[in-house]
Amino acid sequence: MKMHRNLDGIKFFRIIISVTLSIVFWTISTKAQSTGNISGQVKTANNQPVEYASVALKHTDEKIYKGVLTDSLGRFSFAKVPHGKYKIVISSMGHQNHTIPNFELNAVNAQITFSNIQLKDDAQQLSAVVVSGQKKVIEQSMDKMTLNVENSILAEGNTALELLERAPGVKIDSDGKISLKGRTGVNVMMNGKMTYLSATELATLLKATNSSSISKIEIMNNPSSKYDAAGNAGIINIVMKKGLAGGLNGSVNFNGGAGRNARYGSGFNLNYRTSKINFYGNYNYAYRGETEYLDFIRRFSDVQPSLSRTSTQRTETNEPLNTHNFRAGIDYEIDSNNTIGLLVNGNLGKYIHDSQTSNLMRNQQGALLSYMLTKNYDRQSWQSLTYNLNYQHRFAKKGRELSADLDFAPNRFSSNLNLDTYTKPNSTLPDGEMARRIGTVPAKTDVFVAKTDYTDVINDAVKWEAGAKSSFIQADNNLVYHQFLNGNWEYDATSSNHFKYKEQIHAGYLNVMARLGKTSLQAGLRGEYTHTKGNQITTRQVFVRDYFQLFPSVALGQELNANNQLQLSYSRRVERPNYGALNPFRMFRDPSLYYEGNPYLKPEVTQNVVFGHVYKNKFTTSMNYSRTTDVITWVTGQNDATNTTFEQPRNLSRLINYGFSFTAQIDYFKWWSGTSFANVFRNEYDLEEGKNKQTSFSANTQNSFKIVKGFGAELNAFYNSKSVYGIISERSYWAISAAFQKSVLNDKGSIKLAINDIFQTNNFRNDTRYQNINMYSRIWIDSRRAILSFTYRFGKQFENRERKTGSEDIQNRIK
């Protein structure tokens, strides 16, 4: 079956190449004879190239023929321009407009080049911060949706996980698992790179990432082959704040508030740039106090129905979280074509899980059989660092670039668990017994990544890109449990486990983009070879896997007219099990409930088709269909004889997902604009016994209000109806949040007040009815909170080059 799939991919690749070559030759052979080319280079008064300057080619009657932006070297060009008389107008923020007066393009003078256009500084613009316009909080395009965190009042004082929860189409369950349009298997990236973490550790990292360090969140349902094939449901890319423009500039921020417990934090962003060197960095500290409540009801059966019983658990947790995030780097421009950079990212934190669980066991008549009280104290700490060396070369030919990255990311994690359980026959009897357990989980994961990307243009209609990437991961988890027996701490061999994991992924891709009139085509193929080795040292079991897979992607766009655009896309993607899911160790919540990994997990593969329509760049309609095999899902098991419940990831045979979504961006009035999203989808899981299926609905609306000058507000609301995940049925929930902002200190400062989940309705209720399992859970998360924040900006607030690393796309699966 694998060989057949690979042959299909090779045939598909051949078709892509044939179509692309046909487009190229057709484009070259059909060049018009009565046209010419106009090009030039724009520089500052100090002879430095001006990036992203706006260049307008106009007719002599001032009608604009075409407009372009200059590249990183200040170059621009207009190809296949009809003969005639023209003028050029160039504008760039911080400079005076520059006009090249009337000139003629004809058969004799068909190639015109303006080699040294110099712009004069605009002293008025440079003397103050100028904001001519502001992006909307949510922007929708054909290939992705962008949540502009920097422009959102509601984002202040929140974490990255809380921001994602309000993003259209995104859903996060009580365990931190992220789904997109009803499908799990989302690849979360930081600055365009994966973060290899387990679902739990990813949730912890996102909780530790403060909104003040985030620029925007991009949501891509069908990414191209340039991106890693991981992420069946698509990609969510969290873009951190960039370095800023020349001179010294930056911002400082403070926030404080409370939910059930206090929250506060502070941080700063700094940037200093000269003509050759750019220093940049930021730091954020956050304290996040949180209290949650969990109700858990389980029903155990017996051969004799009269002996059946019910367990009712109530857990209250206190979960303080302290985090430090920092980012520091330097870019050195060797010359106008070459730039080299160094970057260090860091995330350090401490987290405490302090909980108390009561467990009442009753018979069918309601009489109390036993009473159990468990105190769980888990002290965790982590240190995640990334060291990055990067290089970028811009060739003389416009549009041709080469970039390379080398990364080393050491990750360290530790957990110290104390689990004390007091049990007695019933709550009225004085006698009872104490069971004590302690555990230590030292874990380390080292990530090495090397990648390179090359981009080139054949002509104005055809562009292609290729790249290669290799990643090497080593993980070492040594879980040691001891039990207190007969007055001594004794090693628990049945629960302890030492697990080592190694993984190599080697990938290459080719991606071609062409535009013919109103039709655009993007077609690509990615190949990935994966080698994994899991060594369960405790039981001397070794698990080895080798496989090579091809991942084609195609996107076809058609502009019907100025108001209507269509797109049809297809991609094949994979979701590999993360390291934590493969590790077979047990983690106890209490003696009757634990979680364990599964070293036999197989990767799941999805084929996804999306058809979309955009009207007036304001209304987007999308229909999607996907088929996933070997679905990785957390499945609950139950031992009725011992009254024990456990959760373990397993492969289900298949998931079918299809749905319809609609996004509207409307300016209702000059003072009120909004983005609304609605999605109807159906999930059908194939289980060992029958199916678990459900048609579901979700909606999200984000509204911005300009009340008076310098004063604004936001209102967000979302609703998720009943849905299914594996064998679980999740009940509906919703939330409404509001925020207010006041500009101060000549618009350089802002004061914001955000109130999240005003009615405290964002809680999770799940039902499981499968085989011998009959249980219900409800988690009351600490979602209602008020946060007051202050931000002050200094210097010129113009954005500069964004620095990405090569290993940020590996940090998502570390355990």
Side-chain angles (χ1 to χ4, degrees):
M1 177 62 72
K2 289 184 179 178
M3 180 62 70
H4 175 71
R5 290 178 180 174
N6 288 344
L7 288 175
D8 287 344
I10 292 171
K11 290 178 181 178
F12 182 80
F13 182 53
R14 289 173 178 169
I15 293 172
I16 292 173
I17 296 298
S18 299
V19 171
T20 302
L21 291 176
S22 298
I23 293 171
V24 172
F25 292 136
W26 182 88
T27 303
I28 294 174
S29 64
T30 57
K31 284 187 175 180
Q33 300 301 312
S34 58
T35 60
N37 299 320
I38 302 170
S39 61
Q41 187 175 29
V42 183
K43 297 182 178 182
T44 66
N46 296 326
N47 211 35
Q48 295 296 316
V50 179
E51 298 179 275
Y52 312 119
S54 175
V55 184
L57 180 62
K58 296 184 176 183
H59 295 285
T60 54
D61 61 359
E62 294 296 328
K63 289 183 179 180
I64 296 178
Y65 169 72
K66 192 176 183 180
V68 298
L69 296 177
T70 58
D71 64 11
S72 57
L73 296 180
R75 299 171 303 193
F76 67 89
S77 67
F78 298 97
K80 296 186 293 185
V81 179
H83 290 170
K85 293 183 178 181
Y86 299 93
K87 63 187 296 186
I88 290 177
V89 178
I90 303 171
S91 59
S92 175
M93 186 172 290
H95 300 92
Q96 297 179 17
N97 288 353
H98 182 87
T99 300
I100 299 175
N102 296 348
F103 59 89
E104 185 173 356
L105 188 69
N106 51 43
V108 177
N109 196 21
Q111 301 290 332
I112 299 178
T113 300
F114 301 97
S115 58
N116 190 16
I117 306 169
Q118 289 192 330
L119 303 185
K120 296 180 180 180
D121 290 342
D122 189 334
Q124 183 176 359
Q125 287 191 42
L126 292 174
S127 63
V129 175
V130 178
V131 180
S132 58
Q134 180 170 302
K135 294 179 181 178
K136 294 183 177 180
V137 173
I138 296 178
E139 294 181 314
Q140 173 71 55
S141 61
M142 183 66 79
D143 61 337
K144 66 183 176 183
M145 178 180 290
T146 302
L147 178 63
N148 291 304
V149 176
E150 289 179 299
N151 298 330
S152 174
I153 311 172
L154 271 167
E156 289 296 322
N158 287 307
T159 68
L161 190 69
E162 291 160 348
L163 294 180
L164 281 178
E165 193 172 37
R166 289 200 295 267
V170 177
K171 181 180 178 182
I172 301 174
D173 70 7
S174 57
D175 295 321
K177 292 189 291 290
I178 302 172
S179 61
L180 182 58
K181 290 188 176 181
R183 289 191 296 147
T184 56
V186 179
N187 180 16
V188 176
M189 309 173 82
M190 304 286 276
N191 283 339
K193 317 295 181 191
M194 266 196 330
T195 54
Y196 286 62
L197 296 171
S198 69
T200 302
E201 287 183 330
L202 175 61
T204 301
L205 175 65
L206 295 177
K207 286 179 181 179
T209 304
N210 196 278
S211 62
S212 59
S213 62
I214 299 174
S215 171
K216 59 185 177 181
I217 297 174
E218 299 173 334
I219 302 171
M220 295 172 276
N221 291 287
N222 241 5
S224 73
S225 61
K226 181 177 181 178
Y227 294 92
D228 282 47
N232 280 334
I235 290 175
I236 295 176
N237 182 30
I238 300 175
V239 181
M240 310 305 287
K241 285 185 177 177
K242 308 172 184 179
L244 301 175
L248 177 65
N249 44 70
S251 64
V252 293
N253 64 83
F254 307 90
N255 65 79
R260 297 186 181 117
N261 293 302
R263 289 185 176 197
Y264 50 83
S266 62
F268 63 84
N269 291 275
L270 286 176
N271 188 83
Y272 179 74
R273 181 173 184 174
T274 66
S275 60
K276 288 288 186 181
I277 298 178
N278 182 37
F279 298 93
Y280 58 94
N282 60 60
Y283 167 80
N284 283 280
Y285 166 76
Y287 172 81
R288 183 177 185 273
E290 182 173 302
T291 296
E292 291 188 350
Y293 306 104
L294 168 65
D295 293 328
F296 196 29
I297 300 173
R298 294 173 291 169
R299 294 173 176 84
F300 300 95
S301 302
D302 197 277
V303 177
Q304 302 181 45
S306 60
L307 298 180
S308 297
R309 55 217 171 274
T310 299
S311 166
T312 303
Q313 287 184 230
R314 173 77 179 200
T315 300
E316 180 178 334
T317 66
N318 181 34
E319 303 177 60
L321 174 69
N322 286 273
T323 63
H324 303 265
N325 288 274
F326 65 87
R327 179 179 176 90
I330 178 174
D331 289 331
Y332 175 65
E333 190 173 302
I334 302 171
D335 53 40
S336 59
N337 293 334
N338 297 278
T339 302
I340 190 170
L342 292 170
L343 172 65
V344 179
N345 281 332
N347 180 271
L348 313 176
K350 293 183 179 180
Y351 165 78
I352 293 176
H353 176 96
D354 185 7
S355 67
Q356 179 171 294
T357 301
S358 62
N359 187 346
L360 303 177
M361 187 72 69
R362 303 179 186 273
N363 61 19
Q364 271 200 326
Q365 290 72 40
L368 185 64
L369 299 176
S370 67
Y371 170 81
M372 184 165 60
L373 179 66
T374 299
K375 294 184 178 181
N376 185 336
Y377 187 85
D378 186 8
R379 186 173 64 256
Q380 301 178 7
S381 62
W382 65 90
Q383 175 181 294
S384 297
L385 299 172
T386 300
Y387 303 95
N388 168 257
L389 173 65
N390 56 82
Y391 169 74
Q392 184 180 50
H393 176 72
R394 296 175 288 272
F395 293 87
K397 179 183 177 183
K398 182 183 177 181
R400 180 181 291 175
E401 292 188 358
L402 174 69
S403 63
D405 284 89
L406 290 174
D407 285 62
F408 170 57
N411 296 270
R412 302 295 180 262
F413 173 83
S414 67
S415 171
N416 293 278
L417 172 70
N418 289 270
L419 196 68
D420 297 335
T421 303
Y422 183 72
T423 307
K424 52 184 178 178
N426 62 60
S427 60
T428 61
L429 297 179
D431 57 327
E433 60 182 23
M434 173 73 77
R436 303 182 65 188
R437 178 190 296 272
I438 59 175
T440 58
V441 191
K444 61 180 182 180
T445 305
D446 293 326
V447 178
F448 304 86
V449 176
K451 69 184 290 286
T452 182
D453 297 283
Y454 176 78
T455 303
D456 200 359
V457 293
I458 297 176
N459 54 36
D460 287 346
V462 182
K463 173 184 176 182
W464 67 280
E465 53 191 7
K469 176 181 176 182
S470 290
S471 61
F472 304 85
I473 300 98
Q474 299 181 87
D476 188 344
N477 295 71
N478 188 10
L479 172 63
V480 179
Y481 277 121
H482 287 81
Q483 287 183 297
F484 194 73
L485 301 173
N486 302 317
N488 296 300
W489 287 105
E490 297 185 6
Y491 176 70
D492 183 3
T494 60
S495 300
S496 300
N497 185 69
H498 190 185
F499 183 71
K500 289 188 175 182
Y501 180 84
K502 293 183 178 181
E503 177 185 276
Q504 299 180 33
I505 300 177
H506 305 283
Y509 74 90
L510 174 65
N511 201 40
V512 180
M513 293 148 283
R515 185 171 184 87
L516 302 174
K518 295 184 178 181
T519 303
S520 60
L521 172 69
Q522 178 173 272
L525 183 67
R526 187 180 185 92
E528 294 189 352
Y529 166 74
T530 305
H531 171 80
T532 63
K533 180 180 179 180
N535 184 359
Q536 193 174 351
I537 296 174
T538 306
T539 60
R540 298 181 180 179
Q541 291 178 284
V542 178
F543 313 94
V544 178
R545 284 206 172 147
D546 286 275
Y547 51 92
F548 175 77
Q549 294 175 305
L550 291 175
F551 302 97
S553 63
V554 181
L556 181 66
Q558 179 66 48
E559 183 180 332
L560 302 179
N561 51 47
N563 293 329
N564 294 276
Q565 304 167 44
L566 299 176
Q567 186 182 49
L568 178 65
S569 61
Y570 162 82
S571 66
R572 183 176 187 265
R573 304 187 62 77
V574 67
E575 183 70 12
R576 300 178 183 90
N578 63 62
Y579 315 142
L582 291 168
N583 193 344
F585 73 87
R586 292 182 177 179
M587 289 294 291
F588 289 87
R589 179 184 288 270
D590 61 55
S592 65
L593 177 63
Y594 64 87
Y595 308 87
E596 65 179 2
N598 178 4
Y600 300 100
L601 283 176
K602 296 181 290 184
E604 62 180 32
V605 176
T606 293
Q607 305 205 52
N608 187 38
V609 179
V610 179
F611 175 72
H613 171 254
V614 177
Y615 177 67
K616 288 187 175 181
N617 290 321
K618 292 183 177 181
F619 305 97
T620 303
T621 305
S622 177
M623 293 181 288
N624 66 279
Y625 173 88
S626 67
R627 182 181 185 273
T628 304
T629 54
D630 295 322
V631 185
I632 300 174
T633 307
W634 282 86
V635 176
T636 304
Q638 183 169 289
N639 187 327
D640 289 315
T642 60
N643 302 327
T644 303
T645 302
F646 64 91
E647 289 190 10
Q648 182 187 60
R650 296 180 187 174
N651 289 111
L652 303 182
S653 61
R654 188 178 67 171
L655 164 65
I656 299 296
N657 167 275
Y658 51 93
F660 173 90
S661 65
F662 178 74
T663 305
Q665 300 181 85
I666 303 175
D667 294 325
Y668 300 101
F669 302 99
K670 290 183 178 180
W671 52 272
W672 176 14
S673 64
T675 299
S676 297
F677 171 85
N679 182 35
V680 178
F681 63 93
R682 183 172 178 83
N683 280 340
E684 298 180 0
Y685 287 90
D686 285 350
L687 309 179
E688 295 178 5
E689 300 175 6
K691 290 178 177 288
N692 192 18
K693 52 189 178 180
Q694 178 72 45
T695 300
S696 306
F697 171 75
S698 65
N700 180 296
T701 180
Q702 176 81 33
N703 298 271
S704 299
F705 306 91
K706 297 178 182 178
I707 301 175
V708 294
K709 184 179 180 181
F711 189 78
E714 283 183 19
L715 180 68
N716 173 276
F718 71 83
Y719 171 81
N720 291 308
S721 75
K722 181 180 179 180
S723 60
V724 295
Y725 169 75
I727 64 173
I728 299 173
S729 294
E730 302 173 337
R731 300 191 189 184
S732 62
Y733 62 96
W734 55 279
I736 296 176
S737 303
F740 306 90
Q741 172 179 278
K742 179 68 173 71
S743 297
V744 295
L745 302 176
N746 296 321
D747 291 335
K748 290 185 177 182
S750 59
I751 299 174
K752 302 177 183 179
L753 173 65
I755 307 171
N756 295 275
D757 191 12
I758 298 172
F759 302 102
Q760 204 164 15
T761 49
N762 185 10
N763 53 74
F764 303 97
R765 297 170 297 163
N766 298 331
D767 296 282
T768 303
R769 306 283 190 274
Y770 183 67
Q771 295 178 345
N772 66 322
I773 303 170
N774 182 349
M775 65 183 190
Y776 164 81
S777 66
R778 180 169 186 168
I779 301 178
W780 308 73
I781 65 174
D782 197 351
S783 57
R784 181 165 61 185
R785 55 196 176 274
I787 304 292
L788 182 66
S789 64
F790 171 75
T791 301
Y792 179 77
R793 298 170 295 276
F794 55 90
K796 293 175 292 181
Q797 303 294 304
F798 305 141
E799 293 183 341
N800 187 33
R801 172 169 106 107
E802 175 185 347
R803 182 62 247 149
K804 301 178 181 179
T805 73
S807 70
E808 287 167 356
D809 55 346
I810 292 189
Q811 299 285 64
N812 243 25
R813 294 167 47 236
I814 293 174
K815 183 66 180 174

